[in-house]
Every structure is written in C-alpha cells, then in structure tokens.
C-alpha cells in the first residue's frame, strides 16, 4: 500500500483496539449497585456504551452535584483499571494492521471518550503507544463524542484529510462523531451487530482487522486520489 499524503487511520480505544466492554460492565455494576442501578449487556450497550462520563453522571446520578457525580465515575474508572490490569486483549488482526500502516507510513491516532488514565492503561497494556502520533481525549476538549470535535482534532493533529482516512468504532456515539467529522467509519462488532452499526452510519462492519473486506476498503480509501 502506497497511500496518498493525508491518509490516516483513527481508532477508538474501548471495544475497538481491545474488547474492554465486559470489564467496564463489571466495574459499573460493582460501583453503581449502591445507587440502585444494575446493568446487563443489553442495557450497557443501549445506555452506557461510548458515552462520556459527564453524560453518564447526569443520566444516572441526577440527584448529585456535578462534582459528586464525577467522583462516583472516577471510582468506577479506578475499578475498571484494577480489573483490566491483567485482562486486556487486542481485537483480532490489530497488530498486523498496525504493522502494515507503519510500513506504509500511514499516520495513526487514538480518539476516545475514556479518561486519560484508562486510555493510557489500554494502550500501554497492548504495547502500542509508539504507533500513534496523537491521542485525543474527548473530556479534555470543549465537546466529546458524539460531537465530531474529537475526530476533527485527531485529523488536525495528524495533518490528515478525512476524505482519504478511515475511522474504527464500536458504538453509536463514536460512529456519530467520526462520520460527523467526514470520516468513512468501519464498525467493529465487539458489542453491536452489523445491522446496528450500519444503521448508526458505518460503511461496513467486521469482527477483526484481518477481515478481507476491511483491508480492501482501507486500501481503496487511501488510494482514492490516485485512482480518481
């Protein structure tokens, strides 16, 4: 692959680089049970997946001040990190795709709504920090996902062109953010089925990064201006 200048790959982290949703679900239940909330997989996907913590606090702890609500979410994130310390596993095919992108000189970024400490934990557990030219944390921007700003910031930091780039997401919130920034987005089926990901705006879906259709799409997208 010899991509045109401006081509880039932008990855969400949770559920996209690693299948961390089951760990988040366990952490939510451990902390939120005392506030009367219990989540099964379906409710997690429907009401929590991909949301920024400030929105989760507002939705599930409305009786609390913003400061107290975020303190509860901080406790949940600490529980997640404790559980995740030995449970981080890459989505299939990830390392081969990263090797291919590095060999071709394709710029890459991670774009997430996760707190920085969580993002650091996952990226370092996978040993892939050096792969990314940028790490964008939604909570550190004026708007997080589903607003397009996190992906627009990722494109800006990479000097990338949305028309030549591809995003990878696993949630409706993330797909809305990436497509809003003009990115063709591939939905990773770690949490949602094909139909839900496509309904949210994904151009195609895959179980892993070794999917032939995913790899073909990346190649076509990144060479778009050469074949136009």
């Amino acid at each position: 692959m010899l991509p045109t200048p401006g081509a880039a790959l932008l990855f969400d982290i949770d559920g996209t680089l690693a299948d961390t949703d089951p760990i988040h679900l366990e952490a939510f239940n451990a902390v939120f049970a005392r506030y009367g909330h219990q989540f099964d997989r379906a409710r997690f996907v429907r009401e929590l997946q991909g949301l920024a913590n400030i929105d989760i606090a507002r939705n599930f702890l409305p009786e609390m001040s913003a400061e107290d609500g975020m303190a509860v979410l901080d406790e949940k994130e600490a529980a997640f990190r404790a559980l995740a310390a030995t449970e981080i596993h890459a989505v299939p095919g990830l390392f081969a795709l990263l090797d291919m992108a590095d060999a071709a000189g394709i710029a890459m970024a991670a774009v997430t709504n996760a707190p920085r400490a969580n993002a650091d934990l996952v990226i370092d557990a996978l040993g892939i920090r050096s792969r990314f030219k940028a790490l964008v944390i939604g909570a550190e921007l004026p708007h997080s996902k589903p607003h397009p700003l996190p992906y627009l910031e990722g494109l800006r930091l990479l000097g990338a062109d949305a028309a030549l780039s591809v995003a990878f997401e696993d949630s409706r919130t993330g797909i809305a953010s990436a497509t809003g920034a003009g990115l063709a987005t591939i939905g990773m089926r770690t949490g949602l089925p094909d139909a839900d990901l496509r309904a949210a705006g994904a151009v195609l879906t895959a179980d892993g990064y070794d999917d032939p259709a995913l790899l073909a799409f990346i190649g076509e997208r990144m060479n778009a201006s050469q074949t136009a």
Side-chain angles (χ1 to χ4, degrees), residues 140-189:
E140 298 175 2
L141 299 173
H143 302 285
S144 55
K145 303 175 190 178
H147 195 281
L149 181 60
Y151 276 101
L152 291 171
E153 179 67 2
L155 289 166
R156 184 188 71 81
L157 291 170
L158 296 179
D161 182 350
L164 298 171
S165 301
V166 179
F168 304 92
E169 274 284 355
D170 70 308
S171 70
R172 297 176 182 89
T173 300
I175 293 171
S177 176
T179 57
L183 285 156
T185 305
I186 296 176
M188 305 308 294
R189 297 194 295 263

Side-chain angles (χ1 to χ4, degrees), residues 76-146:
K76 175 264 163 182
E77 300 302 355
F80 165 81
R81 290 190 292 273
L83 291 166
T86 59
E87 297 186 31
I88 300 295
H89 304 286
V91 170
L94 174 66
F95 297 120
L97 176 61
L98 298 181
D99 287 345
M100 181 187 72
D102 278 342
I106 300 168
M108 292 182 283
V111 181
T112 182
N113 268 356
R116 184 170 289 275
N118 289 21
D120 287 341
L121 183 150
V122 175
I123 287 172
D124 289 337
L126 294 174
I128 57 175
R129 182 173 295 276
S130 64
R131 309 283 195 152
F132 299 115
K133 288 183 62 177
L135 170 59
V136 179
I137 306 295
E140 298 175 2
L141 299 173
H143 302 285
S144 55
K145 303 175 190 178

